[in-house]
Each structure stands twice: as C-alpha cells, then as structure tokens.
Amino acid sequence: MASPLVSMKGVSAGYGGADIIRDVDLELREGDFMAVVGPNGGGKTTLFRTVLGIITPSKGTVEVMGTSPSKGCREIGYVPQFGSFDRKYPVLAREVVAMGLRSRQGLSPFSKDTGSVEEVMEYTGVSAFADRRIGDLSGGQMQRTLLARALVSHPKMLLLDEPTASLDPEMKAGVYEILAKARSDGVTVMMVTHEVEGVEDLVNRMVRVDRCVHEIHADPHGMVCGEGVL
Amino acid sequence: MTDLLGYLEIPLIQNMFAATVIACVLCGVIGTYVVVNRMVAVTGGIAHTTFGGVGFAYYLMSVFAVSWMTPMLGALLFSVVAAVVMVVCKRIDDLRDDTVIGSLWAVGMALGVVFMCYMDRSVLVPSSYESILFGNMLLIDSGKLYVMAIVSAAVLAVTLFFYRDLRILTFDPVHAKIAGINVTAMDLLLHVLIAVTCVMVANVVGIVMIMALMTIPAAVGNLFSKDMKGTMLLGTFYAVALSVLGLFLSLTMDTPPGATVVIVIGAVFVLMMIVRKAADRLG
C-alpha cells in the first residue's frame, strides 16, 4: 500500500503556546477527496497551516509526501480563504497564476514557463480575464485565478480553505467543475467547507474538526454540513 | 530662461539635479514595494533612525577623529540595524509592529540629538540640524554623488534579481512560504533595501521629507497602472519629472529645493486623485 500523502500522529498545534487542535491522528491517501467540516474556531485553518508547515506542532509528528511539511508542501497547491488578499495590489490575474510556478523554478528569477501558465488558464477558464487587475475580478473569477495558481505546478495534492465561501451558486458550480476535473486527473484534495452540496459526488471522506478530528463514516450524498447536522 | 540654463553650468547645481534623478529612480522602484505592502510607517521609522546614525558619525569624526566615517555611512549603519531589529521583533509574539516602529523612530532621533550634543559642533558647519532634517542639495559634492550612484545601482540590481520573490512575498506571504521562499530572509532583504533607499533619498530632501518621495510617486503609479512594473515605471517617471520641475521652481523662486520638490509632488498628487475619481465617475 502506498504511503499516505499526509500523515499526522498525535498532533497538537496552535498559536502563542495555546493548542487549538489536540492529539490529531489523520491520514490522507492518494486519490482521496476529503471534506473538512466543523464549527468556526474549531481548528480547520490551524490543521491546514500545520500540514503546510506554517505552524510547528507542539506535540506529535506530521509528514507530508513522506517528508517534513516544509519540504513536502512544495507538492501542494494551496487555495486560501477568499478575501485574504489586498485587492488593491497591482497584479494581473495572469501574474498571480504564474506565481504558482515558483515552487518548481527555484531561486533563478529568469526561468519562465509561459506554456504551463497558458495551459492552466485555459483549463480553469482564467484566460478570459487574464489581463485584468485582481481588484477588478469578481469573487468567482478570483477563486478561479487562485485555483489556477494552485494547479499550475501540477501538484499531487490541493488544499482548499473554504474556496466557495461567499460565492453565488453559479460561481460555486464553476469552482466545483474545476475540482472535478482535477480529481479526474488524479489530484488528491483536502477542502475546508461548510457545505458539501455540489461536491457530494466527489467527496469520499469527511472529517469534522472541533479541536480533535473525527472521521465521519457517512455518505455525503444529500448531507449538508451545518449547525446541528453533524 | 537664460538665467535658469546658466544655473545648469554650475557643478553643484548639476550635482543637485543628478542626485535628485538618482533618488527618484530609487523611490519609484522601492517606493512601490512600500506602498503596495503598506510599509509607510516602517519607512518612517527607518528614515528617522538615520538621524541617530548621522549624529553618531559626526561624534566619531569630531571626538575620535575617525577619518573613514561619514554621515552617510553612519546613517546607513543605523538604518540597516533598525531594519534588522524590525524584522527580528516581528517574530516576537508579544510585540506589536507599530510599537517597535514608534520606539525606533523616537530613540533614533534622540540618539542623534545626544551624539550631536557631545560633538565638536564646528564639524557640522556648513551643515546644520536643518540641512540634515530638511535636506540641502547644495551640499552634494561629486564624491557623494558617485557613492549615491554606485549604491543605488546595487539596490536596483538586487531588486531586479529578487523582483519575482519580493512580489510573491508582498502579495501573499503564505504562498511565498509554501513555494519554498525563505520568507524571513526575503522580508529582511526588503527592509534593508528600504533602509538603504532612505539614506540615499535623505541626501536630497532630508530625513523628515523622505516619506513623500517614497510614497507619493508609487501611489500615483498605482492609481494608473494595472501591474507592478507599470506602477514602478510610472512612479519613477512621475518622481523624476516633477522633481526636476520642483528644482527649477526653487531656483526661480529662491526657495529650499527639497521642500519645493515635495510640495510640487504632493500638489500634483492631489490633482491626479481628482482626475482619477472624475474618470471613474465618467465610467
């Protein structure tokens, strides 16, 4: 059996000496599409940040792609929460997508791979607004751009932190369509979400994070993860 | 007009124009990072710390006859130390950024005052507190101009080399870390680049008015450009064009050149904002 892409054993982590997640055991295997649900403040983002090596656990071990999170995370495409950027930043959608190549390019500032950028922009539908400044993009276009940035380096795994929060149903459908394509191309996905409506067919595992992580052994079909349901 | 062109034959006036252009190019490029990354307060803190360095240099020169020390070198030393302290303090959870900035700002100025109090004041002539704080472009000799040109070329070369990583860092630090960029080292580099730029610009407009050149041209560039390179180019063009205009006005009206440049740059910025708002309303 292939080793898991993410392996957490007895992990506790948080900020400023206070643990937000405690004694977490979790494995993410190749081909999984894991929905991560749970209440606000329960530690979903902390869990992600620990996997990405941004937070060092106070206890336990984390392995990503069989190595430390800081090395393994280069094989991960990350899509942060909507609204975590300064929309006045002078950068085009095309340039944001190209930033995703940095993990493959190394220190040399002169390496370019415009082919990959054009290809992924076509794949995600970013080409139509590639030369617009990010401040001029709608929420759905911004999320597509961030997905394209995450996918441009052909990662083994995608980590998405509420990628459809504050999007209207049509925009959500657009994001889910890209995720479905990525999954069919063999990309493993771990996604924080408040609802699984629209991705029921993609999700094969679901965990609830509320300080600890509990695997939910239920069919995600028709299950809306919200207050009182889980 | 003939009188104005006649001024340009005077070497000190030529130096004044050349130094201004060098400072403006630096401000157009480094100022863009300051503006888009909301580092205006950081720049203010570093800029005012240079006063301590100038005082320290004069103190060493007058009391201990340290011949290799110059005010510019002292300012560089203090501003780079301030930049390093700011980056290190960011990693201490209990300290807020603005507390560190404010402390360095005030302590740097205070050190400058104390050092100058103990020095042999004759060394300060023909300079003065006023020229350090508000600039005196007529004190820029050829030697200082060459140092400015070399240091500025080095700053621009380093910025060009790390342009991509600095942009990723300032746009999305989390992505920068995941992508394998050494975020702490890159943040330190950005602070040091700002520190060195502050010292170069202080030669032209003085310590107090550094922030005008570091922020307004880039802010104008950001108003009318879609991307970072456009912002840098437009900001540089704006800074050079209006600074040269400001220098000519100062020669005509016999006003202090640094202050005149800052007033011209600021006044046209207000006009640009009005133009931009009007253009937005008209669709």
Side-chain angles (χ1 to χ4, degrees):
Chain A
M1 190 175 165
S3 59
L5 298 188
V6 174
S7 169
M8 302 178 88
K9 287 177 186 156
V11 171
S12 298
Y15 306 91
D19 290 337
I20 293 176
I21 52 172
R22 291 185 193 129
D23 300 318
V24 170
D25 292 306
L26 183 71
E27 280 194 356
L28 188 70
R29 293 177 287 272
E30 201 169 334
D32 276 347
F33 193 119
M34 180 186 280
V36 180
V37 298
N40 288 333
K44 301 186 295 289
T45 300
T46 306
L47 178 77
F48 268 30
R49 288 180 162 241
T50 310
V51 172
L52 292 168
I54 295 164
I55 300 175
T56 307
S58 59
K59 208 176 84 180
T61 57
V62 184
E63 281 192 0
V64 177
M65 314 288 165
T67 180
S68 67
S70 56
K71 285 182 186 161
C73 71
R74 293 185 199 179
E75 297 289 334
I76 296 176
Y78 176 60
V79 178
Q81 280 183 14
F82 180 76
S84 56
F85 297 100
D86 179 2
R87 304 267 285 178
K88 289 182 182 170
Y89 196 98
V91 64
L92 306 177
R94 174 192 303 282
E95 293 174 324
V96 172
V97 176
M99 286 178 187
L101 288 170
R102 172 60 175 83
S103 55
R104 277 205 332 222
Q105 290 171 330
L107 192 63
S108 168
F110 304 111
S111 48
K112 288 203 168 149
D113 188 354
T114 46
S116 293
V117 173
E118 294 300 327
E119 191 186 316
V120 81
M121 286 199 307
E122 205 58 49
Y123 183 87
T124 52
V126 173
S127 304
F129 48 86
D131 291 317
R132 282 167 65 179
R133 189 168 160 156
I134 56 153
D136 298 331
L137 303 182
S138 68
Q141 289 170 334
M142 187 67 199
Q143 286 308 85
R144 279 173 181 268
T145 304
L146 294 174
L147 264 169
R149 183 184 70 171
L151 288 167
V152 72
S153 59
H154 302 292
K156 287 183 181 166
M157 184 181 150
L158 274 180
L159 238 64
L160 306 110
D161 199 350
E162 299 191 40
T164 56
S166 74
L167 296 188
D168 64 34
E170 196 183 330
M171 289 172 176
K172 278 180 191 170
V175 171
Y176 292 151
E177 191 187 328
I178 297 166
L179 292 180
K181 275 199 271 185
R183 196 186 182 201
S184 66
D185 289 342
V187 178
T188 303
V189 179
M190 192 176 182
M191 178 173 82
V192 168
T193 183
H194 280 294
E195 56 184 21
V196 288
E197 202 175 357
V199 279
E200 307 95 323
D201 294 333
L202 299 174
V203 172
N204 69 326
R205 290 178 67 197
M206 191 182 292
V207 294
R208 176 182 164 85
V209 182
D210 187 3
R211 305 271 171 174
C212 298
V213 172
H214 311 280
E215 181 112 22
I216 298 165
H217 300 284
D219 182 356
H221 272 277
M223 178 187 275
V224 177
C225 310
E227 290 299 319
V229 177
L230 291 173
Chain B
M1 190 67 187
T2 317
D3 285 350
L4 276 178
L5 293 177
Y7 277 128
L8 292 177
E9 289 171 13
I10 303 169
L12 278 179
I13 300 290
Q14 290 169 357
N15 289 349
M16 177 173 87
F17 274 90
T20 303
V21 170
I22 289 170
C24 287
V25 172
L26 268 187
C27 287
V29 175
I30 302 299
T32 297
Y33 286 110
V34 169
V35 169
V36 303
N37 206 24
R38 299 169 193 261
M39 295 175 78
V40 176
V42 168
T43 307
I46 291 174
H48 285 78
T49 312
T50 60
F51 189 68
V54 173
F56 180 62
Y58 277 126
Y59 177 72
L60 287 185
M61 287 158 66
S62 66
V63 177
F64 297 103
V66 180
S67 57
W68 51 267
M69 180 52 88
T70 64
M72 202 196 290
L73 188 58
L76 270 173
L77 184 70
F78 269 55
S79 64
V80 170
V81 168
V84 173
V85 170
M86 280 183 189
V87 175
V88 170
C89 287
K90 268 189 189 180
R91 302 181 74 82
I92 302 171
D93 284 340
D94 297 337
L95 275 175
R96 289 176 184 273
D97 288 356
D98 58 343
T99 307
V100 177
I101 291 167
S103 305
L104 284 169
W105 186 314
V107 171
M109 294 291 286
L111 280 172
V113 173
V114 170
F115 279 128
M116 287 189 189
C117 175
Y118 280 105
M119 67 181 238
D120 172 4
R121 296 190 68 84
S122 63
V123 208
L124 203 55
V125 177
S127 183
S128 66
Y129 271 109
E130 205 175 286
S131 66
I132 296 165
L133 293 173
F134 303 108
N136 188 345
M137 295 194 207
L138 295 174
L139 292 177
I140 299 172
D141 57 23
S142 298
K144 197 183 241 183
L145 189 63
Y146 287 135
V147 172
M148 277 184 74
I150 291 165
V151 173
S152 301
V155 167
L156 291 175
V158 171
T159 308
L160 179 66
F161 188 83
F162 289 106
Y163 170 77
R164 180 196 56 185
D165 285 2
L166 286 171
R167 194 172 58 158
I168 295 175
L169 174 79
T170 51
F171 177 63
D172 183 357
V174 173
H175 175 70
K177 188 170 170 62
I178 297 165
I181 295 171
N182 185 331
V183 170
T184 306
M186 201 52 60
D187 194 30
L188 180 62
L189 175 70
L190 180 57
H191 279 74
V192 170
L193 289 171
I194 291 170
V196 177
T197 301
C198 282
V199 176
M200 296 303 112
V201 179
N203 286 313
V204 175
V205 290
I207 290 167
V208 172
M209 291 185 285
I210 288 173
M211 280 201 288
L213 274 179
M214 288 289 270
T215 56
I216 295 174
V220 171
N222 199 20
L223 275 181
F224 296 98
S225 300
K226 288 203 292 186
D227 60 9
M228 192 96 163
K229 280 178 195 160
T231 302
M232 286 178 171
L233 288 172
L234 189 58
T236 301
F237 174 77
Y238 179 88
V240 171
L242 290 180
S243 295
V244 168
L245 174 67
L247 290 182
F248 276 120
L249 283 176
S250 91
L251 290 172
T252 312
M253 301 188 302
D254 195 22
T255 50
T260 312
V261 163
V262 169
I263 289 169
V264 171
I265 283 178
V268 178
F269 178 46
V270 174
L271 281 177
M272 292 285 188
M273 289 286 288
I274 294 169
V275 168
R276 179 60 205 255
K277 290 286 173 199
D280 285 348
R281 285 200 173 186
L282 292 171

